[in-house]
Amino acid sequence: MFAKILNTLNNTCLRNVTTVVDHHCIRKIILDFPKNKNSLSLDMLNSLISDTQNAALNTNIKVIIMSSSQPNIFSSGHDLKQFQKNKNDNDLQLQKEILEKLVRLINIIQNLPIPVIAEIKGHAAAAGCQLACSCDIITASEKALFSTPGIKQGIFCSTPGVAIIKSSLPLKIATKMLFTGDPITAQEAYQFGLVSQVFPEHLLEDGTVELANKIAKNSKEVLSLGKQCLYQQINLDKEKAYQVAIDAMLENIKLDDAQEGIKAFLEKRTPIWVKAKMNK
């Protein structure tokens, strides 16, 4: 489905570092700069920030899928050419801006009122792994790889390390990845709890869209409130986390969609969310 739309766009539009395709209530943001292996250059990061922020402004979009146009690479990480020392005194400022831009993108993703799925076809390396781990859900091809190989180039993956350690990946697995630079497979990532679902390569796109559609059947307002609560309580101690969750539940129950959901459950029918009623 998305592949056909993407081919049409690529035949009619100038290629940028990302391509955005909307289909019903799903937005697909595609890293699309094969020349640089989808490296997270400053241009790529600016484009991804713009694409994700624009999705939040579109009231019809309920799920984002972040993917790659390339079968063998999601993203190779930062563009190392931008981290070389030159005679320019502004080098350090540029590098700081790039690192902070990725953190900004990650914060935008986690603060978006809609879920974001990372669809990993190939290799998610270094900062590319950092980006993937920072999405709400990860689907992966059985051929996908996840790595933090910076140590092999003399740059420890400190910022990607934050994402993989704060994800569900066990500490001893994360430290092995960081200290050796060796990748883990999609199946290993699934077993460790990093990946949500693994698909055969030819079923990844359809499987991810099917998952996105399952999410999109739910109330956008409830999804937004639930995601906000999830990230608000995740690092709190149990007592504070429960208080945040109780407050969120009480706010949730006030929503028209919550009352419609309760009524539909009792009447043994499918709920019709407020927006769906308005569009009838």
Side-chain angles (χ1 to χ4, degrees), residues 56-272:
L57 299 175
N58 188 324
T59 57
N60 293 320
I61 300 299
K62 297 174 79 173
V63 185
I64 292 174
I65 299 172
M66 197 167 286
S67 184
S68 166
S69 63
Q70 306 306 302
N72 297 321
I73 192 79
F74 173 70
S75 171
S76 59
H78 289 301
D79 184 349
L80 292 184
K81 291 177 184 177
Q82 296 182 330
F83 285 80
Q84 284 183 306
K85 276 189 175 181
N86 298 310
K87 294 180 180 179
N88 192 331
D89 293 335
N90 293 325
D91 286 346
L92 187 61
Q93 187 57 41
L94 171 64
Q95 292 152 11
K96 184 172 185 286
E97 182 182 1
I98 292 168
L99 294 170
E100 289 179 343
K101 273 281 170 73
L102 179 52
V103 173
R104 183 183 169 199
L105 172 60
I106 288 166
N107 286 334
I108 289 169
I109 287 170
Q110 295 185 343
N111 288 325
L112 277 180
I114 52 178
V116 180
I117 302 172
E119 179 189 272
I120 311 301
K121 298 176 182 177
H123 198 162
C129 185
Q130 179 183 353
L131 175 59
C133 291
S134 302
C135 294
D136 302 308
I137 293 171
I138 301 178
T139 59
S141 156
E142 58 191 0
K143 293 186 177 180
L145 296 171
F146 299 83
S147 72
T148 51
I151 189 72
K152 296 181 178 182
Q153 283 79 49
I155 305 173
F156 194 81
C157 283
S158 297
T159 43
V162 173
I164 65 171
I165 287 171
K166 286 190 174 293
S167 69
S168 56
L169 203 64
L171 178 62
K172 300 304 182 188
I173 302 301
T175 51
K176 180 174 179 285
M177 289 175 64
L178 290 163
F179 293 152
T180 66
D182 292 341
I184 60 172
T185 65
Q187 197 59 46
E188 288 172 325
Y190 176 73
Q191 290 169 352
F192 297 138
L194 179 66
V195 166
S196 310
Q197 194 166 357
V198 178
F199 294 94
E201 187 176 18
H202 67 288
L203 296 178
L204 174 63
E205 183 174 343
D206 287 345
T208 304
V209 169
E210 183 180 354
L211 174 60
N213 278 323
K214 283 183 181 179
I215 295 169
K217 287 179 181 178
N218 298 309
S219 161
K220 183 174 181 177
E221 197 171 13
V222 175
L223 282 169
S224 174
L225 192 151
K227 180 174 173 176
Q228 181 183 13
C229 173
L230 174 67
Y231 286 108
Q232 190 178 352
Q233 62 82 26
I234 201 165
N235 290 319
L236 299 177
D237 62 52
K238 185 168 71 173
E239 184 177 346
K240 290 180 180 176
Y242 269 125
Q243 192 53 60
V244 167
I246 287 170
D247 291 344
M249 289 286 288
L250 292 173
E251 285 300 310
N252 194 159
I253 290 165
K254 293 178 186 176
L255 298 177
D256 290 341
D257 278 349
Q259 292 304 308
E260 163 61 12
I262 293 169
K263 186 178 180 184
F265 176 79
L266 295 174
E267 294 175 357
K268 295 181 172 54
R269 61 174 175 81
T270 302
I272 303 173

